[in-house]
Every structure is written in structure tokens, then in C-alpha cells.
Amino acid sequence: NAGVTQTPKFRVLKTGQSMTLLCAQDMNHEYMYWYRQDPGMGLRLIHYSVGEGTTAKGEVPDGYNVSRLKKQNFLLGLESAVPSQTSVYFCASRATSGRAPDTQYFGPGTRLTVL
Amino acid sequence: EDQVTQSPEALRLQEGESSSLNCSYTVSGLRGLFWYRQDPGKGPEFLFTLYSAGEEKEKERLKATLTKKESFLHITAPKPEDSATYLCAVTSFNTGNQFYFGTGTSLTVIP
């Protein structure tokens, strides 16, 4: 049981390049989230999904797109990266029922640098 | 907009010196308040969920409490391995699928 995994762990992009971050969970959770974490700003929600095929905007969605084609995967895309997207990106998942329905389980993070 | 403020930003304690971390929140219709621990270079790890004022949860040297305006994370006789950043988050009935995080308290426990 791997929990939440993220690929890649590190990435360096040049301004204008695109990339996709992959999040996978093996807990059969309905909800999945993408956050970014910046010094002094805390975790901020980018996009989230309440189920396969559905996505919604969070607090800071501009410049990002997401897709949830399979229940276990949640992809975060940057179409044309800019330096302000330099950050650490975390994915999380949570169940909607059971003992702890509000508990978010986080992945290890992806450290992205945009030059 | 839901807001979470944590204090202090950083805290240094001697091993065995008990203290408390504060999380104050402004939420319309609190549904839940959460505490996480984050070690350097890792993702947040869940500690506690509190749902109503007066509720308390304990785990080893940690105890979380909740009032209508704030939550405290009490650390009793801390050890160096308790050194980490502690994050507080809230969700409300108005924005039930979204969670708002504070900026965290960085705790260092000196042997």
C-alpha cells in the first residue's frame, strides 16, 4: 500500500515550457487535491476533484489545468511555465466515508523550478 | 473568506519544556479543524481532526483543543524528534470540499 505517490520528485523548466505532474493513490479515495507550498504562504489549493471525470478550481488556479480520467490518478499541467510557478507541489487524497472522512493524505511533493 | 493564522511562526524549546501552539481562524460555519505535522522535504502528515468547540484529542505528547475562535496544540515534555513544522487547516460547511491552511509553526526542540 503506497498511499499517495507523485512523479517526478524534482524538475527544472525554462520559461514557456510545459509539463505534467502525476499523482496516484491506491486508497480508492474519491477526492483528490493539488496544492502549492511557498515560503511564508502556506499550502494553497490549486484545483481539486470530487470524483472521476470531475474537477474544480481552488484558490490559485490560474496557469494550471487538471484532469481526472481515472479515479486513482490526478494530473496537474502547466502549459507555459513562468518563474512565479516555482514552488513545491503537493497532491492529497481523502475518503468521503469511514472512520476519518476528512483526513487528507499527502504525497511527498514535487519541487519545481522555473528559470 | 476563510482564514487561518498560526502563532508563533517559530518556537525553540529545550527538551522537556512544555508549550502550546496557536491556530486562530475566521470561518463561517466551521466544519472541521485539522492539525498536520510536516518534516523538511516531506508532505504533511495528519495528526488530529476537531469538529466542535470543547473537543480534545491526544496522541503521545500532543494534545489538541478547540474553542469557537481558536485551537491549541499543546506539547508536553517535548523531545528532539518532535521538531517539525505544525500546520493547521480548516474547512467550512460553505466550502466543504476545500481546506484552508495556515502558514505553520516551526518547532525546534533542543536536547
Side-chain angles (χ1 to χ4, degrees), chain A residues 31 33 35 37 40-43 45 48 50 57-58 90 94 102-104 106-108, chain B residues 1 31 34 36 38 41-44 46 49 51 87 96-103:
Chain A
Y31 288 24
Y33 300 80
Y35 293 91
Q37 188 174 39
M41 299 290 288
L43 282 160
L45 182 63
Y48 64 99
V50 301
K57 294 180 180 179
F90 288 100
R94 74 175 178 104
D102 292 317
T103 300
Q104 291 185 83
F106 284 84
Chain B
E1 183 180 298
R31 190 167 72 81
F34 311 86
Y36 287 84
Q38 186 174 24
K42 297 192 175 181
F46 171 75
T49 304
Y51 286 109
L87 303 174
N97 296 322
Q98 299 192 41
F99 295 75
Y100 295 91
F101 282 80
T103 54

Side-chain angles (χ1 to χ4, degrees), chain A residues 59-110:
Chain A
E59 201 179 346
V60 289
D62 294 342
Y64 305 95
N65 56 76
V66 288
S67 65
R68 183 102 180 266
L69 299 180
K70 294 182 179 181
K71 185 177 183 179
Q72 64 266 35
N73 295 337
F74 194 28
L75 278 63
L76 178 71
L78 287 72
E79 290 187 347
S80 180
V82 294
S84 61
Q85 292 178 310
T86 294
S87 187
V88 181
Y89 292 85
F90 288 100
C91 176
S93 71
R94 74 175 178 104
T96 55
S97 61
R99 286 179 56 194
D102 292 317
T103 300
Q104 291 185 83
Y105 296 87
F106 284 84
T110 294

Side-chain angles (χ1 to χ4, degrees), chain A residues 13-62:
Chain A
L13 290 179
K14 293 182 180 179
T15 297
Q17 288 185 319
S18 64
M19 77 163 293
T20 299
L21 283 67
L22 170 64
C23 176
Q25 53 98 1
D26 61 2
M27 296 174 282
N28 201 35
H29 286 167
E30 290 293 332
Y31 288 24
M32 296 186 75
Y33 300 80
W34 276 109
Y35 293 91
R36 58 178 290 173
Q37 188 174 39
D38 304 290
M41 299 290 288
L43 282 160
R44 292 182 292 167
L45 182 63
I46 305 171
H47 287 279
Y48 64 99
S49 168
V50 301
E52 184 177 319
T54 71
T55 63
K57 294 180 180 179
E59 201 179 346
V60 289
D62 294 342

Side-chain angles (χ1 to χ4, degrees), chain B residues 16-63:
Chain B
E17 178 187 3
S18 301
S19 189
S20 297
L21 312 182
N22 178 264
C23 171
S24 63
Y25 60 89
T26 305
V27 172
S28 178
L30 179 73
R31 190 167 72 81
L33 185 141
F34 311 86
W35 283 98
Y36 287 84
R37 169 190 171 128
Q38 186 174 24
D39 292 300
K42 297 192 175 181
E45 179 183 346
F46 171 75
L47 291 174
F48 303 110
T49 304
L50 300 167
Y51 286 109
S52 56
E55 190 174 2
E56 298 182 351
K57 294 273 180 74
E58 281 188 77
K59 180 181 178 181
E60 296 181 352
R61 294 176 294 281
L62 301 177
K63 179 180 177 180

